[in-house]
Amino acid sequence: MSNITRREFIRIAGGISVGMASGACSHPFVKEKHSCKQSQNLKRLIGTKIDYTKARAVPSICFGCTTHCGVIGWVQDGIVKKIEGNPLDPNSRGKVCAKAQGMISYTYYPERIIYPMRRIGKRGEGKWKRISWNEALDEIAKKMKKLRQEEHPERFVFHYGRDKTKGFTKRFTNAFGTPNRLNRRSICSSNRRAPLMSFYGREFEWETQDFENTKFILNFGANPMEAYQGGFFMMQRIQQARVDKGAKMITFEVRPSATASVSDKYFPVFPGTDGAIALAMINVIIDNNLHDKKFWDRWANYPLNDLKKQIASFTPEFAEKESGVPAEEIIDIAIEFAKASPECCTMSNRGSAKHYNGVQADRAIRLLDVLVGNVGRPGGFCLSTLRMWKKRYGQDGLPNIVQPGPSPSSVKPFQPGTEQFNELPVEVQERVKNFPPEWQNKYFGELATPSEYPLSWHWYPMRVGQLVYPYIKEGRAKVEMYMSYTLGASYGYPEAKVAREVLLDEKLIPFHVAIDIGYSEQASLADIILPEATSLERWDAHSTNCYGLVPYTGIRQPMVKPLGEAKPVQIILRDLASKIGGGMESFFNFNDVEEFYREWYKELPISWKEFKKRGIWYDPNRPKDYELYERPVSNDDLKGSFVNKENNIIYKMKKGKKVAVGIMQDGKPVCGFPTPSRKIQVYDEVFPLAAKHVGLPKSDENGSPLCTYFKIPSHVNIQHDELIFTTFKWNVHTQGRTGHLKYQAEIVHANPVFINPETAKRFGLKNSDMIELTVHRPKGHTYRAGEKEPVGKFRNTVRLLNGMHPKVVAVSHHVGHWEHGSVGRSNVNLSHESKSGTEPHLKIFDDKDIPERIWWSKSQGGPGGGVHINDFLPIDPAPLVGGQNWFDNVCSIEKI
């Protein structure tokens, strides 16, 4: 991708016009500007240089994005001055990116909320009053007690954005009795997690390619060099393999991303055609007898000859017609990929998965690895043992790490005949009654388990977050109290205006509590704001899949005390549970958070003091997780087991249930995969089963039990003057959560419309021209909110970029805030009067960078803070799984 300088950004993005009315909410900051000693110290110390003879090093875990690298913070005079990488982290190996320094920005940015606040005007009006923690929690607890007394705990909804407490918030919602602990996975990754869990089992929701030992990488729409969960770990190992082993990387993408720029070959593909390319490659590999027949026959659950017949029509020539990638290139790449096996692997992400046909596309991509037999092998497509804490696969995983103390009972499902079930719309009741018993036992209402999307909760609860607000609006769920936790739905969800509309309606949501660090667009629509501690001020247990293929764990620990009266979420929920009472308090019996996590990690083979000193622990002598499926079944699991002679699966009775623990292969008991067949489920009947029960037409091939390809409905017969409107992420931003961080915002604060020069010429456009972009409503057999056509229009400037697909325009979605402080708003006005004229909202300490150095603000002659585009991206869940189809949007453009 072309390098874009700061000066170029000013030039190309000048005059950007935000495509929505700018919010006039003032900010609920403390009235007493310098009323405490802490603020005075911050003013004095925040800009001083670090003195390593006085500073102390504190290991922790970064929360700049979902990659969560091990870091070391340098603390001097009670202030975090610098963040470095922790060399003990086996994933990041001592490196960090710019986002790590952002943790300092969001801890010390002057407009951070550090006291509980209650609104005193209309909701969303921006009038606030500081209250005590007791006042805030008493008011919240009173309303929650009432719900329990009336036996309607489900009317309490807990909706989170980034919850890295490892189940602590679930402890709270379970203890209260609500199933409505809602996440944002459908916004992010559910379309690509579902194929992984279908193929390999629930425990393998995320792959861990052995990149440092690979020789060939097929990349479908992933961008680890720029923005990807785990991308920082992948980036280092991919480059290592390229230098040390001469590894090749081929990238299929719609725009010249940072990853495309370092690839050996980059092909700009028509959006949503990745599956056609993958299936064509499968045909080539089989036709040239380059598949690993032994591996396939041993571990795939479907005959290869039947596969060949099913996909025969997906030829390289067909894929060329669909995607634009030359058939000769598809053939050559497929052959080279197969010949590199097992030291080869696929990689995919939103570019392939975030489409109406994206789940099937990722199934096809996953099938490539199975076909060449690289699964779990050195240099291949490996799988993480993240969730395997106890002894399994014939070796020890991590020690038994579980939340201490008693666990609350599981929430009861909505069963026919209960009041909760009878409140559902009639069509929903009929659909659920026809579900298989297994699904009925998992059904907890339309917010937690939407009946139209059973594969969003079949393997585990991924939820369908973008439907929460439309469903509430339509009366599919009754809400009395809504609690959002670090959630940016009012800004960052598709058709975010729907979220704002629902949150502003006190009949739909009578009471909204926001737990947040800053005055976000979401928090501005709350009734009470509870200030949370930042990642530099809190504890968390940490674990993620390791690209070194040895499980590890880490601890996020506070480097400094929370500012003002901010508290970590664990303390907030503990204290709230105590005030609600009724037994809830028994599940939160700890004095402080460190005590809680010390108990959590009591089985580590090192002391708590040593663990805090290191920040990371793993067993360096443990063998890597290669070929876990071939490991012998443990003696404990074999004891009392029996074999089903029809399918060779080894079963054992556990708590009165028959549980598969392995499979007999060549007369030996091996673990296999944690799937129903104990093999790789390349053929999965859950897809047609789900399609049947939700009424998906047979013509919609999302219900195919075997991976397939079909056109995205919105892209059928697309007009000559219409384009595909996609989004992307910058490497310095994390969704919409970092627009208020001053150094990240200085690097990227605008979001021009990137377009291919030849396409621009066709529309009579040149750099910096202003256009109006109209987004049309999507088509297909999935939820449609019924809003009028089009979804919406916005104006922005054009940036010509070579390498873009000629039918695509791309706009990043991180900017265009109207809240989140002066940096987020790109507004030099730090402290404007509230609408009442009586409550001045002031910054908590002086920062010489703000406002003088917000040079990109319009009042300083800059381009401004970009355009908010999320209102104009339609709510568009993928069938069955419910992942948001971010990249299917069809648009029209017009020069202004």
Side-chain angles (χ1 to χ4, degrees), residues 1-5 8-9 12-13 64-65 97-99 223-228 255-258 350 491 727-736 738 744-745 747-754 796 799 801 810-815 866 869:
M1 184 175 180
S2 304
N3 290 327
I4 302 172
T5 67
E8 284 176 319
F9 254 121
I12 66 176
C65 72
C97 73
K99 294 176 185 177
N223 191 9
M225 302 295 173
E226 198 166 350
Y228 189 111
R255 67 179 187 91
S257 66
R350 294 177 177 88
Y491 162 85
T727 69
F728 66 95
K729 298 181 179 182
W730 288 106
N731 61 345
V732 297
H733 280 301
T734 306
Q735 290 87 36
T738 54
Q744 272 89 333
I747 296 169
V748 175
H749 44 263
N751 57 338
V753 180
F754 288 97
N796 204 346
R799 168 67 172 174
L801 182 62
V811 188
S812 70
H813 62 276
H814 306 76
V815 296
I869 67 169

Side-chain angles (χ1 to χ4, degrees), residues 596-849:
F596 181 82
Y597 286 109
R598 186 192 299 116
E599 179 69 14
W600 183 310
Y601 281 105
K602 66 180 181 182
E603 292 190 19
L604 279 184
I606 59 175
S607 69
W608 176 247
K609 180 179 179 181
E610 183 65 20
F611 185 42
K612 289 199 300 178
K613 183 179 178 181
R614 297 182 185 185
I616 298 287
W617 181 87
Y618 64 95
D619 181 359
N621 298 315
R622 184 186 189 277
K624 292 189 174 185
D625 285 340
Y626 291 129
E627 297 185 284
L628 295 174
Y629 47 86
E630 294 285 4
R631 302 277 172 87
V633 178
S634 69
N635 290 330
D636 288 343
D637 279 337
L638 281 176
K639 195 177 297 182
S641 66
F642 57 94
V643 179
N644 184 319
K645 294 183 179 180
E646 292 183 3
N647 55 24
N648 288 327
I649 297 177
I650 305 168
Y651 292 101
K652 186 175 181 177
M653 299 303 295
K654 294 184 178 180
K655 297 182 179 180
K657 295 183 179 180
K658 188 173 72 171
V659 178
V661 296
I663 187 170
M664 296 297 295
Q665 293 281 40
D666 299 328
K668 297 179 181 180
V670 296
C671 291
F673 296 88
T675 62
S677 67
R678 301 304 288 189
K679 293 187 175 185
I680 303 172
Q681 303 248 135
V682 298
Y683 185 94
D684 195 340
E685 293 181 348
V686 75
F687 287 96
L689 178 67
K692 173 185 175 182
H693 282 292
V694 303
L696 199 66
K698 290 185 178 180
S699 59
D700 192 311
E701 294 176 272
N702 280 289
S704 173
L706 193 69
C707 62
T708 188
Y709 167 81
F710 54 94
K711 281 183 178 291
I712 295 165
S714 297
H715 298 177
V716 175
N717 299 323
I718 188 170
Q719 300 302 303
H720 179 68
D721 61 345
E722 293 178 329
L723 301 170
I724 310 298
F725 168 35
T726 70
T727 69
F728 66 95
K729 298 181 179 182
W730 288 106
N731 61 345
V732 297
H733 280 301
T734 306
Q735 290 87 36
R737 300 191 299 130
T738 54
H740 61 299
L741 307 186
K742 61 183 181 181
Y743 301 127
Q744 272 89 333
E746 182 178 33
I747 296 169
V748 175
H749 44 263
N751 57 338
V753 180
F754 288 97
I755 188 170
N756 183 289
E758 291 302 315
T759 307
K761 186 184 297 183
R762 183 159 59 87
F763 284 90
L765 299 172
K766 60 182 183 301
N767 268 331
S768 301
D769 278 351
M770 181 71 71
I771 63 170
E772 183 171 76
L773 193 150
T774 301
V775 185
H776 304 298
R777 194 149 297 278
K779 302 173 184 176
H781 301 287
T782 184
Y783 176 85
R784 297 290 173 240
E787 283 88 350
K788 295 179 180 179
E789 168 74 16
V791 179
K793 302 179 180 183
F794 67 90
R795 294 182 176 186
N796 204 346
T797 54
V798 165
R799 168 67 172 174
L800 274 56
L801 182 62
N802 288 317
M804 288 283 299
H805 191 282
K807 287 290 285 185
V808 171
V809 292
V811 188
S812 70
H813 62 276
H814 306 76
V815 296
H817 286 276
W818 58 98
E819 296 295 358
H820 255 317
S822 55
V823 174
R825 302 192 315 273
S826 298
N827 188 331
V828 298
N829 183 13
L830 266 174
S831 53
H832 46 277
E833 293 288 320
S834 70
K835 291 184 179 180
S836 66
T838 60
E839 185 80 19
H841 297 170
L842 302 175
K843 55 184 178 175
I844 58 175
F845 65 90
D846 290 325
D847 184 339
K848 63 182 180 181
D849 286 344

